[in-house]
Amino acid sequence: MISLRYHIVSITAVFLALAVGVVLGSTAISGRLLSGLSDEKNSLAQQVNDLQNDRNALNAKLTEADKFAASVGPLAVKDRLTDRTVVIVTTSDARPSDRDALSGLLKSAGAAVTGEIQLTDAFADPSRADQLRDLVARLQPAGSQLPTAGDPGTRAGGLFGKLLLLNPANNEPQATADETASALSGLSNAGFVKATSGVKPAQLAIVLTGGAAIGDSAADRASTVARFATQLDRSGAGVVLAGANGSANGTGAIGVVRADTNATSILSTVDNSDTPAGQVVVVMALREQLEGRSGRYGVAGNAEASSPGTAG
């Protein structure tokens, strides 16, 4: 007769065998799984290494390309702006090194820089828009009329156009020297601009900005700069809005301009002015402005060509 003890021992033996089997099976599976994961890790590591090598190679090529563009840039723009005058307007996020490089190329092109104006952070600050509008109205030269648009960028562009650009019809100043000095002083005292001494009106202007605006009210701040540059262009022989990487995005001043066909019909834009090649294009675009043409240049997806004459 089979006793209860025999049943218990038998059942215990069965469960023990199952437990041993599970342990042995899981050990084998874990070994194969770990081996597969190890192989996958090694493969991914190799891919990462290959991508890093590719990136380093591309960066080296870009560095060499920048060196080449910097070396031939003065020759590429030589005599393109002979006896022309240019005023440079920068935003607070524009890189001083880009401004200096453009100044050097303008000299190589035969142009004279008549002064530099920096727009401060307050200029595009939505919380100070009413103050800027009111100040612009008080500082306008005698007998001049500001644009009817109510936004601060367009209104300021109208004022700056009178102060900084020569009349394209007769090449004469549109404001007296005293009016210009007084207006710039008022804007400076209010914290909206910083200006070099002795700024004189010019035939052409470069508005140099950084990348995309970030943070609160980024779109509004980008729009203010975009509308300012567009209205400025209506006052003289030509304006180029130039920006760094990201400036052609939705919250970049160039991106705002390129979304407006009315603006792009008159204002030229260059979205890679933080590179030697882009800086050469800025000068070429100024020359194109003198000829009554405009374009969207650079490397962003909404550019039409890399430079004037290369659209196709």
Side-chain angles (χ1 to χ4, degrees):
M1 179 179 293
I2 300 176
S3 65
L4 179 61
R5 179 178 180 183
Y6 178 83
H7 280 295
I8 294 174
V9 171
S10 298
I11 292 172
T12 301
V14 169
F15 280 108
L16 181 60
L18 287 173
V20 171
V22 169
V23 171
L24 292 176
S26 63
T27 301
I29 293 173
S30 297
R32 290 193 296 272
L33 180 60
L34 289 174
S35 177
L37 290 175
S38 179
D39 291 342
E40 185 70 15
K41 175 186 174 183
N42 292 336
S43 176
L44 290 173
Q46 183 60 48
Q47 291 180 42
V48 170
N49 186 62
D50 291 342
L51 289 172
Q52 288 176 336
N53 290 335
D54 290 343
R55 184 194 63 184
N56 292 337
L58 288 173
N59 285 338
K61 290 180 179 180
L62 287 174
T63 299
E64 289 303 314
D66 284 344
K67 289 180 179 178
F68 177 76
S71 65
V72 304
L75 294 176
V77 301
K78 182 177 174 61
D79 299 329
R80 285 182 177 265
L81 296 174
T82 300
D83 298 329
R84 303 293 183 174
T85 52
V86 182
V87 64
I88 299 176
V89 181
T90 65
T91 59
S92 58
D93 61 341
R95 301 193 313 182
S97 59
D98 296 340
R99 177 204 61 207
D100 294 343
L102 282 171
S103 296
L105 285 174
L106 289 170
K107 183 177 180 180
S108 298
V113 176
T114 62
E116 297 177 8
I117 305 288
Q118 183 189 73
L119 308 179
T120 67
D121 286 331
F123 181 87
D125 185 350
S127 68
R128 300 193 63 182
D130 290 339
Q131 182 186 357
L132 178 60
R133 270 192 298 264
D134 293 343
L135 185 59
V136 163
R138 295 200 305 270
L139 295 175
Q140 64 178 313
S144 65
Q145 290 186 337
L146 293 176
T148 56
D151 67 276
T154 300
R155 302 278 284 182
L159 173 62
F160 276 72
K162 301 297 184 184
L163 303 177
L164 302 181
L165 292 176
L166 298 172
N167 188 323
N170 55 24
N171 215 36
E172 293 293 330
Q174 302 182 70
T176 67
D178 288 342
E179 287 172 332
T180 298
S182 176
L184 291 179
S185 177
L187 290 163
S188 179
N189 291 337
F192 290 115
V193 305
K194 296 177 182 178
T196 57
S197 60
V199 176
K200 296 179 181 180
Q203 296 165 309
L204 302 162
I206 295 172
V207 179
L208 180 64
T209 186
I214 58 175
D216 294 338
S217 304
D220 291 336
R221 286 184 281 120
S223 179
T224 296
V225 175
R227 291 174 178 173
F228 166 81
T230 302
Q231 185 60 41
L232 186 67
D233 196 10
R234 295 189 171 101
S235 301
V239 174
V240 174
L241 174 60
N245 180 44
S247 60
N249 294 348
T251 58
I254 289 178
V256 175
V257 169
R258 290 179 177 175
D260 182 353
T261 55
N262 290 326
T264 56
S265 66
I266 60 170
L267 179 66
S268 291
T269 55
V270 179
D271 62 48
N272 60 335
S273 62
D274 53 343
T275 68
Q279 290 152 10
V280 171
V281 174
V282 172
V283 178
M284 296 171 68
L286 275 179
R287 177 65 205 184
E288 187 180 54
Q289 282 278 305
L290 280 174
E291 298 166 355
R293 295 180 290 124
S294 63
R296 308 182 308 276
Y297 305 117
V299 296
N302 51 13
E304 63 181 316
S306 59
S307 65
T310 60

